[in-house]
Amino acid sequence: MNAGDRLRALARRFCTCDTMDRVVDPLIADMRFEYNESQRAGRPWQARRRRAAGYLAFWRTIGFCAARAALGSTRRWANAEGHVMGRTLGYAAGIIAALVFCLALLPFYAVTSANRVAPHELGKLFLYVVPQAIPIAIAFGLPLGILVGLRGRSTDSRIRWSVVAVCIVSTLVAFGICGWVLPETNQAFRETVVRSRRPLARGANELTFPELNAQLEALQRVGRTDAARPLVYSYHARLAASAAPFIWGLFALALASVTRRTFLSAAIFVVAGITYIACAVAIINGGVETFRGLPIAYTIWLPNVCFALMTIALRVGASKSA
Amino acid sequence: MATIPTLSSKERLILELLVQRHELYGLQLVDASRRRLKRGTVYVTLGRMEDKGYVTSRAEDPPPDAGGLPRRLYRATPLGRRVLQAWTHLVRHLTPEPAR
């Protein structure tokens, strides 16, 4: 077996014939030449060193090729069907960025006007409130981006699946932020504002998902359901916020397929979203264990359930009219 | 509208070396550049330059001890030479003269 045979076989699986011919094969041929030259000269260590350098160069080259291919396919994907996906992602990103800024500014302004904060800590504080805003901004911004980007045009299944994939990725991002980033930044925010020398005890919103789970299990084991209630709120509220981009995104996709009026559909979505969020906040802040007979954990999921039901209704209506 | 040929700093270096030494292997280009070109990027850059028409390559006869894999030799095309010439001219005219 010659040096680089395995790497060449591996590259053949992923690279096109053109890339093999013009990039991978010349690299491996040069590496073999160097390696054999050192072997013939009786310098085994130099041969090994040259082979290792060749292997390193191979992986760097494959990395460059993969990045170029990914960039090209992303561009083709975004430009397909009259730039529908590119436009959708662009609008969604713009709306999300604007919402993040506005939503982060409100608690930041409220806290900095009520507390004396050192000027050099203002930037840090603003960064700490940004993760709070991201899940809500994604939940609203992504569906609005879908509505404006699709502009009520009838899309093929490839575009629809691409939108679904974007919704899934957004949900995963929101899940990661709600579960792990938000608790840490919340805690850092509190400690910066209070300026306590001792670390502050973490509240329900400052615990990661695994920590919340562990505490809930411990409290339920000893039968302290009252103490567990804030943890249950936080757990379900964050999970529901993580799932919202997927469910609301599908709702926007269904809405875009039944009406060609972008403004009308965006207005419907905004009104529905704000109403449900207001209801959810009112229920959660009420601190009740049940709401109209429903356990609070289920009530928190009501906005998502309603959006899911509306999506199904829209899909059924669209298929009937078709 | 016809696109104006562009030349990155690495492409310029490769063209300069190929114009000076006529025909080189990828590895010889790396050695001749005194570490300004890297083994991990030179083949990708050469591939891109072939697409642009600045260089051309030919596969050597495969050596018996290299597992039947031919080495590839690169040389500058007339277009590549013209682009390099124009670029060098442009840079010479646009670079401000040092103050006396």
Side-chain angles (χ1 to χ4, degrees):
Chain A
M1 186 177 263
N2 288 293
D5 268 348
R6 280 198 191 132
L7 291 183
R8 193 163 172 253
L10 185 76
R12 201 176 274 282
R13 290 183 180 205
F14 305 107
C15 298
T16 60
C17 289
D18 187 53
T19 309
M20 283 301 295
D21 194 39
R22 293 202 307 182
V23 178
V24 178
D25 282 352
L27 186 152
I28 292 179
D30 279 353
M31 181 188 72
R32 277 183 191 170
F33 172 80
E34 257 195 333
Y35 177 76
N36 292 337
E37 202 181 46
S38 299
Q39 288 279 33
R40 271 198 301 272
R43 294 177 186 151
W45 281 106
Q46 188 189 45
R48 282 181 198 134
R49 209 176 55 239
R50 284 179 160 182
R51 190 175 56 183
Y55 284 174
L56 200 67
F58 169 85
W59 286 112
R60 280 192 71 181
T61 304
I62 290 293
F64 274 109
C65 290
R68 212 164 59 159
L71 210 65
S73 53
T74 307
R75 197 173 292 148
R76 276 195 300 279
W77 173 73
N79 292 348
E81 293 255 336
H83 305 273
V84 168
M85 279 317 293
R87 209 171 47 221
T88 303
L89 290 180
Y91 279 121
I95 297 168
I96 290 170
L99 282 174
V100 164
F101 184 74
C102 295
L103 292 171
L105 211 57
L106 292 173
F108 173 75
Y109 182 72
V111 169
T112 50
S113 54
N115 297 277
R116 200 177 291 165
V117 181
H120 68 274
E121 285 182 328
L122 287 174
K124 205 164 66 175
L125 271 185
F126 186 75
L127 275 184
Y128 290 153
V129 291
V130 164
Q132 289 182 17
I134 292 175
I136 302 169
I138 294 177
F140 268 93
L142 180 69
L144 282 176
I146 292 168
L147 288 171
V148 181
L150 296 184
R151 281 188 195 146
R153 64 166 61 198
S154 52
T155 49
D156 65 8
S157 64
R158 206 171 60 139
I159 295 291
R160 278 200 297 275
W161 281 113
S162 296
V163 172
V164 172
V166 170
C167 293
I168 292 171
V169 171
S170 306
T171 285
L172 292 175
V173 170
F175 181 70
I177 290 172
C178 285
W180 287 270
V181 181
L182 187 65
E184 296 305 325
T185 50
N186 268 2
Q187 182 67 8
F189 182 83
R190 292 167 74 218
E191 283 174 357
T192 311
V193 171
V194 174
R195 276 180 286 183
S196 161
R197 291 196 180 160
R198 284 179 301 171
L200 290 177
R202 286 176 179 249
N205 290 331
E206 286 73 52
L207 295 173
T208 61
F209 278 146
E211 289 166 347
L212 262 178
N213 252 335
Q215 284 215 11
L216 272 172
E217 278 176 16
L219 287 170
Q220 276 162 359
R221 259 202 308 273
V222 293
R224 289 187 60 197
T225 46
D226 272 10
R229 203 185 300 158
L231 302 183
V232 175
Y233 291 158
S234 177
Y235 187 75
H236 283 282
R238 283 196 264 160
L239 265 187
S242 309
F246 180 69
I247 297 166
W248 298 21
L250 293 190
F251 170 71
L253 187 64
L255 194 60
S257 65
V258 294
T259 175
R260 285 183 173 273
R261 292 180 180 172
T262 311
F263 182 76
L264 176 73
S265 51
I268 291 171
F269 171 77
V270 170
V271 169
I274 288 175
T275 309
Y276 284 125
I277 283 195
C279 287
V281 169
I283 294 162
I284 293 165
N285 287 343
V288 289
E289 205 162 328
T290 57
F291 182 76
R292 291 180 195 273
L294 268 176
I296 198 71
Y298 295 119
T299 320
I300 290 168
W301 283 88
L302 259 183
N304 285 343
V305 173
C306 288
F307 268 110
L309 290 175
M310 284 194 292
T311 308
I312 293 167
L314 284 173
R315 294 293 304 165
V316 170
S319 60
K320 270 187 183 168
S321 66
Chain B
M1 200 173 77
T3 51
I4 298 169
T6 53
L7 201 64
S8 71
S9 58
K10 277 191 182 152
E11 288 173 350
R12 185 181 162 194
L13 178 61
I14 288 173
L15 276 178
E16 278 172 356
L17 291 168
L18 290 177
V19 167
Q20 278 169 21
R21 305 191 186 191
H22 187 59
E23 209 173 31
L24 290 170
Y25 297 108
L27 211 55
Q28 285 178 320
L29 278 164
V30 174
D31 292 338
S33 72
R34 291 179 194 156
R35 294 184 172 221
R36 279 187 289 167
L37 293 171
K38 302 273 183 266
R39 290 170 70 134
T41 52
V42 72
Y43 299 97
V44 179
T45 311
L46 284 165
R48 192 174 62 224
M49 288 173 77
E50 266 194 289
D51 288 338
K52 288 181 176 177
Y54 296 167
V55 298
T56 180
S57 69
R58 66 180 176 89
E60 217 182 27
D61 290 335
D65 60 347
L69 206 57
R71 294 184 81 192
R72 198 163 272 274
L73 275 161
Y74 298 89
R75 68 159 72 182
T77 60
L79 172 68
R81 286 168 191 270
R82 277 206 308 277
V83 170
L84 177 67
Q85 214 171 14
W87 203 260
T88 314
H89 186 74
L90 191 74
V91 169
R92 199 180 301 145
H93 279 266
L94 290 180
T95 309
E97 284 182 19
R100 296 183 183 189

